[in-house]
Amino acid sequence: MSALNELYDSIRCCEKCEIARSRVKVVPGEGAEDAEIMFIGEAPGFYEDQQGRPFVGPAGKFLDELLASINLNRQKVYIANVIKCRPPANRDPLPQEILNCRHWLNRQIEIINPKAIVTLGRYSMAMFFPQKSISKIHGTAEKRNGKLYVAMYHPAAALHQGNLKDVIKADFLKLPGYIADNARPAEVQEEKKESVPIAKQLNMFED
Ligand code: URA
C-alpha cells in the first residue's frame, strides 16, 4: 500500500474531535503523490462530507476552472484541507480542531513534498503566514528552504463577493511564473530579480 493510502486509512479512523461524530465521511485529501503543487483549503463542506472528496461543491467547481486556466487539473495537483471533517453547519474550524488535525497535514506535506504550497483562504494562510492579512499578501509568493508558499483567496470568497473573482483569477495566473522562476538556478533568479522593478519585487517575499 502506498504511503498516502496508508495515511488515508489512519485519517479515516481518527475520532479525536467531537465533529468526528457528526461527519458522514472523512475528507483526507486527494491527488497525485508526486504533485508539484499542493493546494490547502479550509474544511469539508456539505458536498465534500457526502462524498469524502475535497472541493466537490460550488467552490470546487471554481477551483477546477482556476486550475484549467493554468493548464492543470486534479490529477496533476494535490488538494487537502486544514481539517478533515466537516464542522456542523459549516462553522469555522475551532483552534483545537486545527491543532488536532495538524499532524495529518504535516504528514501529507512530508509524503508529497511539493515544490509549491498554495493556501486557499485565511485558515490555511494562517498556518504558513501567521500574522499576515490575506488582503495584503494574496497572490504573492514566499520562498523558504527551496519551497514556495503562495497565499490565495479561498475560491468560495469569489462566490460570495463577485468582485474577488477576477482578483483570484489573476492571482492564479501568476502561479506558473513563480514555479518556473523557482526552478531556475539561484544565479539566474538573482539576475532576474535585479531587472524586476522594485515595486514588483516588494510584492514578493524572499528569504
Ligand atoms: N471549502 C474548503 O475549504 N474545502 C473543501 O474541501 C470545500 C470547500
Side-chain angles (χ1 to χ4, degrees):
M1 195 193 283
S2 77
L4 261 185
N5 281 325
E6 226 169 89
L7 179 67
Y8 294 160
D9 280 354
S10 306
I11 299 176
R12 287 191 187 102
C13 293
C14 183
E15 299 197 331
K16 221 169 180 180
C17 305
E18 190 66 31
I19 53 174
R21 285 183 239 283
S22 55
R23 74 188 177 210
V24 176
K25 285 191 175 164
V26 179
V27 183
E30 68 179 26
E33 189 151 348
D34 61 351
E36 294 194 344
I37 311 179
M38 181 166 177
F39 293 86
I40 305 176
E42 183 179 313
F46 173 82
Y47 298 99
E48 291 76 22
D49 183 50
Q50 296 289 316
Q51 297 184 35
R53 298 181 55 214
F55 282 95
V56 289
K61 248 184 129 187
F62 184 39
L63 179 60
D64 286 341
E65 245 180 71
L66 293 166
L67 290 174
S69 76
I70 50 173
N71 287 319
L72 289 175
N73 58 40
R74 282 172 184 257
Q75 285 71 48
K76 293 186 192 154
V77 302
Y78 192 84
I79 303 175
N81 280 307
V82 169
I83 66 168
K84 316 300 188 197
C85 296
R86 181 192 182 207
N90 295 344
R91 65 153 167 76
D92 289 343
L94 302 176
Q96 190 60 49
E97 290 164 353
I98 294 172
L99 216 65
N100 289 348
C101 232
R102 177 79 213 222
H103 67 114
W104 298 130
L105 185 63
N106 286 348
R107 181 74 184 123
Q108 283 170 309
I109 295 170
E110 191 177 83
I111 293 170
I112 293 150
N113 191 21
K115 293 189 172 137
I117 289 182
V118 180
T119 65
L120 301 172
R122 60 198 167 101
Y123 283 91
S124 131
M125 180 194 71
M127 284 187 146
F128 301 95
F129 302 93
Q131 317 298 334
K132 301 274 188 196
S133 145
I134 188 77
S135 61
K136 294 217 171 70
I137 68 163
H138 69 90
T140 66
E142 180 175 332
K143 193 170 149 185
R144 296 176 207 151
N145 302 320
K147 218 188 264 311
L148 274 184
Y149 295 82
V150 185
M152 302 275 191
Y153 279 110
H154 195 287
L159 307 179
H160 305 129
Q161 285 172 264
N163 59 323
L164 282 182
K165 201 161 189 174
D166 286 343
V167 176
I168 301 180
K169 283 182 178 173
D171 286 347
F172 254 74
L173 292 178
K174 294 179 194 166
L175 256 185
Y178 287 150
I179 289 164
D181 251 7
N182 197 38
R184 282 184 236 272
E187 323 79 77
V188 183
Q189 288 182 35
E190 277 308 304
E191 274 168 31
K192 187 153 188 279
K193 212 165 75 181
E194 274 160 27
S195 66
V196 174
I198 190 74
K200 246 189 161 170
Q201 281 186 40
L202 287 174
N203 218 13
M204 290 191 60
F205 301 96
E206 294 282 345
D207 276 342

Short mmCIF file of all heavy atoms in Angstrom, two decimals, residues 78-139:
data_model
loop_
_atom_site.label_atom_id
_atom_site.label_comp_id
_atom_site.label_asym_id
_atom_site.label_seq_id
_atom_site.Cartn_x
_atom_site.Cartn_y
_atom_site.Cartn_z
N TYR A 78 -2.24 18.24 -5.87
CA TYR A 78 -2.77 17.60 -4.67
C TYR A 78 -3.64 18.61 -3.95
O TYR A 78 -3.28 19.80 -3.86
CB TYR A 78 -1.63 17.11 -3.77
CG TYR A 78 -2.16 16.21 -2.69
CD1 TYR A 78 -2.36 14.85 -2.93
CD2 TYR A 78 -2.51 16.71 -1.44
CE1 TYR A 78 -2.90 14.01 -1.96
CE2 TYR A 78 -3.04 15.88 -0.46
CZ TYR A 78 -3.24 14.54 -0.73
OH TYR A 78 -3.78 13.72 0.23
N ILE A 79 -4.78 18.16 -3.45
CA ILE A 79 -5.71 19.07 -2.75
C ILE A 79 -6.02 18.51 -1.36
O ILE A 79 -6.43 17.35 -1.22
CB ILE A 79 -7.03 19.24 -3.54
CG1 ILE A 79 -6.74 19.74 -4.97
CG2 ILE A 79 -7.95 20.22 -2.82
CD1 ILE A 79 -7.96 19.83 -5.87
N ALA A 80 -5.80 19.34 -0.36
CA ALA A 80 -6.09 18.92 1.01
C ALA A 80 -6.80 20.06 1.73
O ALA A 80 -6.99 21.16 1.18
CB ALA A 80 -4.79 18.57 1.73
N ASN A 81 -7.17 19.80 2.96
CA ASN A 81 -7.78 20.83 3.80
C ASN A 81 -7.07 20.89 5.15
O ASN A 81 -6.41 19.92 5.55
CB ASN A 81 -9.26 20.50 4.06
CG ASN A 81 -10.15 20.90 2.88
OD1 ASN A 81 -10.11 22.03 2.42
ND2 ASN A 81 -10.93 19.95 2.40
N VAL A 82 -7.23 22.01 5.84
CA VAL A 82 -6.64 22.16 7.17
C VAL A 82 -7.25 21.13 8.11
O VAL A 82 -6.55 20.47 8.87
CB VAL A 82 -6.88 23.60 7.69
CG1 VAL A 82 -6.52 23.72 9.15
CG2 VAL A 82 -6.06 24.60 6.87
N ILE A 83 -8.57 21.00 8.09
CA ILE A 83 -9.18 19.93 8.90
C ILE A 83 -9.94 18.96 7.98
O ILE A 83 -10.36 19.33 6.89
CB ILE A 83 -10.08 20.46 10.05
CG1 ILE A 83 -11.31 21.17 9.53
CG2 ILE A 83 -9.30 21.34 11.01
CD1 ILE A 83 -12.34 21.44 10.64
N LYS A 84 -10.04 17.74 8.42
CA LYS A 84 -10.51 16.66 7.54
C LYS A 84 -11.97 16.27 7.74
O LYS A 84 -12.49 15.40 7.04
CB LYS A 84 -9.65 15.40 7.73
CG LYS A 84 -8.14 15.64 7.79
CD LYS A 84 -7.59 16.28 6.54
CE LYS A 84 -6.07 16.33 6.57
NZ LYS A 84 -5.54 17.29 5.57
N CYS A 85 -12.63 16.86 8.74
CA CYS A 85 -14.05 16.57 8.98
C CYS A 85 -14.86 17.85 8.85
O CYS A 85 -14.36 18.94 9.15
CB CYS A 85 -14.27 16.00 10.39
SG CYS A 85 -13.45 14.42 10.65
N ARG A 86 -16.11 17.71 8.45
CA ARG A 86 -16.96 18.90 8.26
C ARG A 86 -17.42 19.45 9.60
O ARG A 86 -18.05 18.73 10.40
CB ARG A 86 -18.18 18.52 7.44
CG ARG A 86 -19.09 19.70 7.20
CD ARG A 86 -20.43 19.30 6.64
NE ARG A 86 -21.24 20.48 6.39
CZ ARG A 86 -22.55 20.50 6.41
NH1 ARG A 86 -23.22 19.39 6.63
NH2 ARG A 86 -23.22 21.61 6.18
N PRO A 87 -17.17 20.74 9.84
CA PRO A 87 -17.75 21.35 11.05
C PRO A 87 -19.26 21.50 10.85
O PRO A 87 -19.70 21.88 9.76
CB PRO A 87 -17.07 22.73 11.12
CG PRO A 87 -15.92 22.66 10.15
CD PRO A 87 -16.32 21.67 9.10
N PRO A 88 -20.06 21.20 11.87
CA PRO A 88 -21.52 21.29 11.72
C PRO A 88 -21.94 22.67 11.21
O PRO A 88 -21.38 23.68 11.64
CB PRO A 88 -22.04 21.06 13.14
CG PRO A 88 -20.92 20.43 13.88
CD PRO A 88 -19.65 20.84 13.22
N ALA A 89 -22.89 22.68 10.29
CA ALA A 89 -23.42 23.91 9.69
C ALA A 89 -22.32 24.78 9.09
O ALA A 89 -22.45 26.00 9.01
CB ALA A 89 -24.22 24.71 10.73
N ASN A 90 -21.24 24.14 8.71
CA ASN A 90 -20.11 24.86 8.08
C ASN A 90 -19.54 25.98 8.94
O ASN A 90 -19.07 26.98 8.41
CB ASN A 90 -20.50 25.43 6.70
CG ASN A 90 -20.81 24.34 5.71
OD1 ASN A 90 -20.47 23.17 5.91
ND2 ASN A 90 -21.48 24.72 4.64
N ARG A 91 -19.59 25.81 10.25
CA ARG A 91 -18.97 26.83 11.10
C ARG A 91 -17.46 26.82 10.89
O ARG A 91 -16.91 25.88 10.31
CB ARG A 91 -19.32 26.60 12.58
CG ARG A 91 -18.75 25.32 13.15
CD ARG A 91 -18.52 25.42 14.65
NE ARG A 91 -18.28 24.12 15.26
CZ ARG A 91 -17.15 23.43 15.17
NH1 ARG A 91 -16.14 23.91 14.43
NH2 ARG A 91 -17.01 22.26 15.76
N ASP A 92 -16.80 27.88 11.37
CA ASP A 92 -15.34 27.95 11.24
C ASP A 92 -14.69 26.83 12.06
O ASP A 92 -15.21 26.45 13.12
CB ASP A 92 -14.82 29.29 11.77
CG ASP A 92 -15.19 30.44 10.84
OD1 ASP A 92 -15.54 30.17 9.68
OD2 ASP A 92 -15.13 31.61 11.29
N PRO A 93 -13.55 26.33 11.58
CA PRO A 93 -12.84 25.33 12.39
C PRO A 93 -12.40 25.93 13.72
O PRO A 93 -12.03 27.11 13.78
CB PRO A 93 -11.59 25.01 11.54
CG PRO A 93 -11.90 25.51 10.17
CD PRO A 93 -12.88 26.63 10.31
N LEU A 94 -12.45 25.12 14.78
CA LEU A 94 -12.01 25.61 16.10
C LEU A 94 -10.49 25.46 16.21
O LEU A 94 -9.91 24.54 15.61
CB LEU A 94 -12.67 24.79 17.21
CG LEU A 94 -14.20 24.78 17.22
CD1 LEU A 94 -14.72 23.85 18.32
CD2 LEU A 94 -14.72 26.20 17.43
N PRO A 95 -9.86 26.32 17.02
CA PRO A 95 -8.39 26.20 17.18
C PRO A 95 -7.96 24.79 17.58
O PRO A 95 -6.97 24.27 17.06
CB PRO A 95 -8.08 27.22 18.29
CG PRO A 95 -9.19 28.22 18.21
CD PRO A 95 -10.41 27.47 17.75
N GLN A 96 -8.74 24.16 18.49
CA GLN A 96 -8.34 22.81 18.92
C GLN A 96 -8.47 21.79 17.78
O GLN A 96 -7.66 20.86 17.68
CB GLN A 96 -9.19 22.38 20.13
CG GLN A 96 -8.70 21.10 20.80
CD GLN A 96 -7.26 21.21 21.33
OE1 GLN A 96 -6.94 22.17 22.01
NE2 GLN A 96 -6.41 20.25 21.00
N GLU A 97 -9.47 21.97 16.92
CA GLU A 97 -9.63 21.05 15.78
C GLU A 97 -8.44 21.20 14.82
O GLU A 97 -7.93 20.21 14.29
CB GLU A 97 -10.95 21.34 15.05
CG GLU A 97 -12.18 20.95 15.86
CD GLU A 97 -13.48 21.57 15.36
OE1 GLU A 97 -13.45 22.42 14.43
OE2 GLU A 97 -14.54 21.22 15.91
N ILE A 98 -8.03 22.45 14.62
CA ILE A 98 -6.89 22.69 13.72
C ILE A 98 -5.63 22.03 14.30
O ILE A 98 -4.86 21.38 13.59
CB ILE A 98 -6.69 24.21 13.51
CG1 ILE A 98 -7.90 24.78 12.77
CG2 ILE A 98 -5.40 24.50 12.76
CD1 ILE A 98 -7.93 26.29 12.65
N LEU A 99 -5.48 22.19 15.59
CA LEU A 99 -4.33 21.60 16.28
C LEU A 99 -4.36 20.07 16.21
O LEU A 99 -3.36 19.43 15.89
CB LEU A 99 -4.39 22.05 17.74
CG LEU A 99 -3.08 22.32 18.43
CD1 LEU A 99 -2.38 23.51 17.78
CD2 LEU A 99 -3.33 22.65 19.91
N ASN A 100 -5.53 19.50 16.46
CA ASN A 100 -5.67 18.04 16.43
C ASN A 100 -5.36 17.47 15.05
O ASN A 100 -4.87 16.35 14.91
CB ASN A 100 -7.10 17.61 16.79
CG ASN A 100 -7.42 17.82 18.26
OD1 ASN A 100 -6.52 18.07 19.05
ND2 ASN A 100 -8.69 17.71 18.62
N CYS A 101 -5.71 18.23 14.02
CA CYS A 101 -5.59 17.73 12.63
C CYS A 101 -4.23 18.04 12.01
O CYS A 101 -3.90 17.49 10.96
CB CYS A 101 -6.69 18.38 11.80
SG CYS A 101 -7.70 17.22 10.87
N ARG A 102 -3.48 18.91 12.62
CA ARG A 102 -2.26 19.44 12.00
C ARG A 102 -1.28 18.35 11.58
O ARG A 102 -0.64 18.41 10.53
CB ARG A 102 -1.59 20.43 12.98
CG ARG A 102 -0.26 21.02 12.52
CD ARG A 102 -0.48 22.15 11.53
NE ARG A 102 0.59 22.18 10.55
CZ ARG A 102 1.17 23.29 10.11
NH1 ARG A 102 0.79 24.47 10.54
NH2 ARG A 102 2.11 23.23 9.19
N HIS A 103 -1.17 17.31 12.43
CA HIS A 103 -0.16 16.29 12.10
C HIS A 103 -0.52 15.50 10.84
O HIS A 103 0.36 15.02 10.14
CB HIS A 103 0.07 15.34 13.29
CG HIS A 103 -1.09 14.49 13.63
ND1 HIS A 103 -1.10 13.13 13.48
CD2 HIS A 103 -2.33 14.81 14.10
CE1 HIS A 103 -2.27 12.65 13.86
NE2 HIS A 103 -3.02 13.64 14.24
N TRP A 104 -1.83 15.43 10.52
CA TRP A 104 -2.21 14.75 9.26
C TRP A 104 -1.71 15.56 8.07
O TRP A 104 -1.17 15.01 7.11
CB TRP A 104 -3.74 14.58 9.16
CG TRP A 104 -4.40 13.75 10.21
CD1 TRP A 104 -5.49 14.09 10.95
CD2 TRP A 104 -4.06 12.41 10.65
NE1 TRP A 104 -5.85 13.08 11.81
CE2 TRP A 104 -4.98 12.04 11.65
CE3 TRP A 104 -3.06 11.51 10.29
CZ2 TRP A 104 -4.94 10.79 12.28
CZ3 TRP A 104 -3.01 10.27 10.92
CH2 TRP A 104 -3.94 9.93 11.90
N LEU A 105 -1.93 16.86 8.14
CA LEU A 105 -1.48 17.73 7.04
C LEU A 105 0.05 17.71 6.93
O LEU A 105 0.61 17.65 5.83
CB LEU A 105 -1.99 19.16 7.27
CG LEU A 105 -1.71 20.15 6.14
CD1 LEU A 105 -2.43 19.73 4.85
CD2 LEU A 105 -2.16 21.56 6.53
N ASN A 106 0.71 17.75 8.09
CA ASN A 106 2.18 17.71 8.07
C ASN A 106 2.67 16.45 7.36
O ASN A 106 3.61 16.50 6.57
CB ASN A 106 2.74 17.70 9.50
CG ASN A 106 2.62 19.06 10.15
OD1 ASN A 106 2.33 20.05 9.49
ND2 ASN A 106 2.82 19.11 11.45
N ARG A 107 2.01 15.34 7.65
CA ARG A 107 2.43 14.07 7.03
C ARG A 107 2.16 14.09 5.51
O ARG A 107 2.96 13.60 4.72
CB ARG A 107 1.69 12.91 7.71
CG ARG A 107 2.04 11.54 7.20
CD ARG A 107 3.42 11.06 7.64
NE ARG A 107 3.73 9.77 7.02
CZ ARG A 107 4.78 9.50 6.28
NH1 ARG A 107 5.72 10.43 6.07
NH2 ARG A 107 4.98 8.31 5.74
N GLN A 108 1.04 14.70 5.12
CA GLN A 108 0.74 14.80 3.68
C GLN A 108 1.83 15.62 2.98
O GLN A 108 2.31 15.25 1.91
CB GLN A 108 -0.63 15.48 3.47
CG GLN A 108 -1.78 14.52 3.73
CD GLN A 108 -3.14 15.22 3.76
OE1 GLN A 108 -3.33 16.20 4.46
NE2 GLN A 108 -4.09 14.68 3.03
N ILE A 109 2.25 16.71 3.61
CA ILE A 109 3.28 17.55 3.01
C ILE A 109 4.60 16.78 2.92
O ILE A 109 5.31 16.84 1.92
CB ILE A 109 3.45 18.87 3.81
CG1 ILE A 109 2.17 19.70 3.72
CG2 ILE A 109 4.66 19.67 3.32
CD1 ILE A 109 2.11 20.90 4.67
N GLU A 110 4.87 16.00 3.98
CA GLU A 110 6.11 15.21 4.01
C GLU A 110 6.12 14.17 2.88
O GLU A 110 7.11 14.02 2.17
CB GLU A 110 6.17 14.53 5.37
CG GLU A 110 7.47 13.87 5.73
CD GLU A 110 7.35 13.30 7.14
OE1 GLU A 110 6.80 12.18 7.30
OE2 GLU A 110 7.76 13.98 8.08
N ILE A 111 5.00 13.49 2.69
CA ILE A 111 4.94 12.43 1.67
C ILE A 111 5.01 13.03 0.26
O ILE A 111 5.77 12.59 -0.59
CB ILE A 111 3.64 11.59 1.81
CG1 ILE A 111 3.65 10.79 3.11
CG2 ILE A 111 3.47 10.65 0.62
CD1 ILE A 111 2.32 10.12 3.45
N ILE A 112 4.22 14.07 0.02
CA ILE A 112 4.14 14.63 -1.33
C ILE A 112 5.35 15.50 -1.64
O ILE A 112 5.82 15.55 -2.76
CB ILE A 112 2.82 15.40 -1.50
CG1 ILE A 112 1.67 14.39 -1.46
CG2 ILE A 112 2.75 16.18 -2.81
CD1 ILE A 112 0.40 14.94 -0.91
N ASN A 113 5.85 16.16 -0.63
CA ASN A 113 7.00 17.06 -0.78
C ASN A 113 6.84 17.97 -2.01
O ASN A 113 7.67 17.96 -2.93
CB ASN A 113 8.29 16.23 -0.87
CG ASN A 113 9.52 17.11 -0.76
OD1 ASN A 113 9.45 18.23 -0.23
ND2 ASN A 113 10.64 16.65 -1.28
N PRO A 114 5.77 18.75 -2.05
CA PRO A 114 5.51 19.58 -3.24
C PRO A 114 6.52 20.71 -3.36
O PRO A 114 7.14 21.11 -2.37
CB PRO A 114 4.11 20.15 -2.95
CG PRO A 114 4.04 20.22 -1.46
CD PRO A 114 4.80 19.03 -0.96
N LYS A 115 6.64 21.21 -4.59
CA LYS A 115 7.52 22.37 -4.79
C LYS A 115 6.84 23.64 -4.32
O LYS A 115 7.49 24.61 -3.97
CB LYS A 115 7.88 22.49 -6.27
CG LYS A 115 8.74 21.34 -6.74
CD LYS A 115 9.28 21.58 -8.13
CE LYS A 115 10.28 20.51 -8.45
NZ LYS A 115 10.13 20.00 -9.82
N ALA A 116 5.52 23.64 -4.41
CA ALA A 116 4.78 24.84 -4.00
C ALA A 116 3.55 24.45 -3.19
O ALA A 116 2.85 23.48 -3.50
CB ALA A 116 4.34 25.63 -5.24
N ILE A 117 3.32 25.22 -2.13
CA ILE A 117 2.12 25.06 -1.32
C ILE A 117 1.28 26.31 -1.52
O ILE A 117 1.77 27.42 -1.32
CB ILE A 117 2.49 24.87 0.16
CG1 ILE A 117 3.12 23.49 0.36
CG2 ILE A 117 1.27 25.05 1.07
CD1 ILE A 117 3.50 23.15 1.78
N VAL A 118 0.05 26.11 -1.96
CA VAL A 118 -0.84 27.26 -2.20
C VAL A 118 -1.94 27.22 -1.14
O VAL A 118 -2.69 26.24 -1.06
CB VAL A 118 -1.46 27.20 -3.61
CG1 VAL A 118 -2.37 28.40 -3.85
CG2 VAL A 118 -0.36 27.15 -4.67
N THR A 119 -2.00 28.25 -0.32
CA THR A 119 -3.03 28.29 0.71
C THR A 119 -4.27 28.95 0.14
O THR A 119 -4.19 29.95 -0.57
CB THR A 119 -2.54 29.05 1.96
OG1 THR A 119 -2.32 30.42 1.64
CG2 THR A 119 -1.25 28.45 2.50
N LEU A 120 -5.42 28.34 0.42
CA LEU A 120 -6.70 28.88 -0.07
C LEU A 120 -7.51 29.35 1.13
O LEU A 120 -8.03 28.54 1.89
CB LEU A 120 -7.47 27.79 -0.83
CG LEU A 120 -6.76 27.18 -2.05
CD1 LEU A 120 -7.53 25.98 -2.59
CD2 LEU A 120 -6.56 28.23 -3.16
N GLY A 121 -7.55 30.64 1.32
CA GLY A 121 -8.33 31.18 2.44
C GLY A 121 -7.49 31.44 3.67
O GLY A 121 -6.33 31.05 3.75
N ARG A 122 -8.14 32.06 4.67
CA ARG A 122 -7.35 32.55 5.80
C ARG A 122 -6.91 31.49 6.79
O ARG A 122 -5.87 31.63 7.42
CB ARG A 122 -8.07 33.71 6.50
CG ARG A 122 -9.40 33.37 7.05
CD ARG A 122 -10.24 34.61 7.32
NE ARG A 122 -11.59 34.20 7.57
CZ ARG A 122 -12.14 34.10 8.78
NH1 ARG A 122 -11.45 34.41 9.84
NH2 ARG A 122 -13.38 33.69 8.92
N TYR A 123 -7.69 30.40 6.93
CA TYR A 123 -7.26 29.37 7.91
C TYR A 123 -6.00 28.67 7.45
O TYR A 123 -5.10 28.40 8.24
CB TYR A 123 -8.39 28.37 8.17
CG TYR A 123 -9.43 28.96 9.07
CD1 TYR A 123 -10.53 29.63 8.54
CD2 TYR A 123 -9.27 28.92 10.44
CE1 TYR A 123 -11.46 30.24 9.36
CE2 TYR A 123 -10.20 29.52 11.28
CZ TYR A 123 -11.28 30.18 10.73
OH TYR A 123 -12.20 30.78 11.55
N SER A 124 -5.95 28.39 6.18
CA SER A 124 -4.77 27.72 5.67
C SER A 124 -3.61 28.72 5.58
O SER A 124 -2.47 28.40 5.90
CB SER A 124 -5.16 27.05 4.37
OG SER A 124 -4.37 27.25 3.33
N MET A 125 -3.92 29.97 5.22
CA MET A 125 -2.87 31.01 5.21
C MET A 125 -2.25 31.16 6.59
O MET A 125 -1.02 31.28 6.73
CB MET A 125 -3.46 32.34 4.75
CG MET A 125 -2.43 33.45 4.70
SD MET A 125 -3.19 35.08 4.56
CE MET A 125 -3.91 35.25 6.18
N ALA A 126 -3.10 31.15 7.63
CA ALA A 126 -2.60 31.39 8.99
C ALA A 126 -1.58 30.35 9.43
O ALA A 126 -0.72 30.61 10.26
CB ALA A 126 -3.77 31.41 9.96
N MET A 127 -1.64 29.17 8.84
CA MET A 127 -0.67 28.12 9.20
C MET A 127 0.72 28.42 8.68
O MET A 127 1.71 28.05 9.28
CB MET A 127 -1.10 26.79 8.58
CG MET A 127 -2.23 26.15 9.28
SD MET A 127 -2.49 24.53 8.58
CE MET A 127 -3.00 23.72 10.06
N PHE A 128 0.77 29.07 7.53
CA PHE A 128 2.07 29.29 6.89
C PHE A 128 2.49 30.75 6.89
O PHE A 128 3.67 31.07 6.71
CB PHE A 128 2.01 28.76 5.44
CG PHE A 128 1.67 27.30 5.39
CD1 PHE A 128 0.37 26.88 5.20
CD2 PHE A 128 2.65 26.34 5.58
CE1 PHE A 128 0.04 25.53 5.18
CE2 PHE A 128 2.34 24.99 5.56
CZ PHE A 128 1.03 24.58 5.36
N PHE A 129 1.54 31.64 7.05
CA PHE A 129 1.85 33.08 7.10
C PHE A 129 1.17 33.68 8.33
O PHE A 129 0.25 34.49 8.21
CB PHE A 129 1.30 33.81 5.86
CG PHE A 129 1.80 33.32 4.54
CD1 PHE A 129 1.10 32.35 3.82
CD2 PHE A 129 2.95 33.85 3.95
CE1 PHE A 129 1.53 31.91 2.58
CE2 PHE A 129 3.38 33.42 2.71
CZ PHE A 129 2.68 32.44 2.02
N PRO A 130 1.61 33.28 9.54
CA PRO A 130 0.92 33.81 10.72
C PRO A 130 1.06 35.33 10.78
O PRO A 130 2.06 35.87 10.31
CB PRO A 130 1.64 33.13 11.90
CG PRO A 130 2.87 32.51 11.35
CD PRO A 130 2.73 32.39 9.86
N GLN A 131 0.07 35.97 11.31
CA GLN A 131 0.04 37.44 11.48
C GLN A 131 -0.15 38.21 10.17
O GLN A 131 -0.14 39.42 10.17
CB GLN A 131 1.32 38.00 12.16
CG GLN A 131 1.85 37.24 13.34
CD GLN A 131 0.85 37.19 14.50
OE1 GLN A 131 0.02 38.09 14.61
NE2 GLN A 131 0.92 36.15 15.29
N LYS A 132 -0.24 37.52 9.02
CA LYS A 132 -0.40 38.27 7.77
C LYS A 132 -1.88 38.41 7.45
O LYS A 132 -2.72 37.65 7.93
CB LYS A 132 0.29 37.54 6.62
CG LYS A 132 1.77 37.34 6.83
CD LYS A 132 2.55 38.54 6.37
CE LYS A 132 4.03 38.20 6.42
NZ LYS A 132 4.94 39.25 6.36
N SER A 133 -2.16 39.37 6.58
CA SER A 133 -3.55 39.58 6.20
C SER A 133 -3.72 39.18 4.72
O SER A 133 -2.91 39.57 3.86
CB SER A 133 -3.88 41.06 6.43
OG SER A 133 -4.76 41.51 5.47
N ILE A 134 -4.76 38.42 4.45
CA ILE A 134 -4.98 37.91 3.09
C ILE A 134 -5.14 39.06 2.08
O ILE A 134 -4.68 38.96 0.94
CB ILE A 134 -6.19 36.93 3.04
CG1 ILE A 134 -6.33 36.24 1.68
CG2 ILE A 134 -7.50 37.61 3.39
CD1 ILE A 134 -5.38 35.13 1.44
N SER A 135 -5.75 40.16 2.53
CA SER A 135 -5.94 41.27 1.58
C SER A 135 -4.61 41.89 1.18
O SER A 135 -4.50 42.53 0.13
CB SER A 135 -6.87 42.33 2.19
OG SER A 135 -6.28 42.85 3.35
N LYS A 136 -3.57 41.69 1.99
CA LYS A 136 -2.25 42.26 1.66
C LYS A 136 -1.38 41.29 0.89
O LYS A 136 -0.62 41.69 0.01
CB LYS A 136 -1.52 42.65 2.96
CG LYS A 136 -2.18 43.77 3.72
CD LYS A 136 -1.12 44.69 4.35
CE LYS A 136 -1.74 45.95 4.93
NZ LYS A 136 -2.54 45.65 6.13
N ILE A 137 -1.46 39.99 1.21
CA ILE A 137 -0.47 39.08 0.62
C ILE A 137 -1.03 38.15 -0.46
O ILE A 137 -0.29 37.34 -1.03
CB ILE A 137 0.29 38.26 1.69
CG1 ILE A 137 -0.65 37.26 2.38
CG2 ILE A 137 0.97 39.16 2.69
CD1 ILE A 137 0.12 36.17 3.12
N HIS A 138 -2.33 38.26 -0.76
CA HIS A 138 -2.88 37.34 -1.77
C HIS A 138 -2.11 37.48 -3.09
O HIS A 138 -1.72 38.59 -3.47
CB HIS A 138 -4.38 37.62 -2.00
CG HIS A 138 -4.63 38.93 -2.67
ND1 HIS A 138 -4.69 39.06 -4.04
CD2 HIS A 138 -4.81 40.18 -2.16
CE1 HIS A 138 -4.91 40.32 -4.35
NE2 HIS A 138 -4.98 41.03 -3.24
N GLY A 139 -1.85 36.36 -3.69
CA GLY A 139 -1.17 36.37 -4.99
C GLY A 139 0.34 36.57 -4.91
O GLY A 139 1.01 36.69 -5.94
#
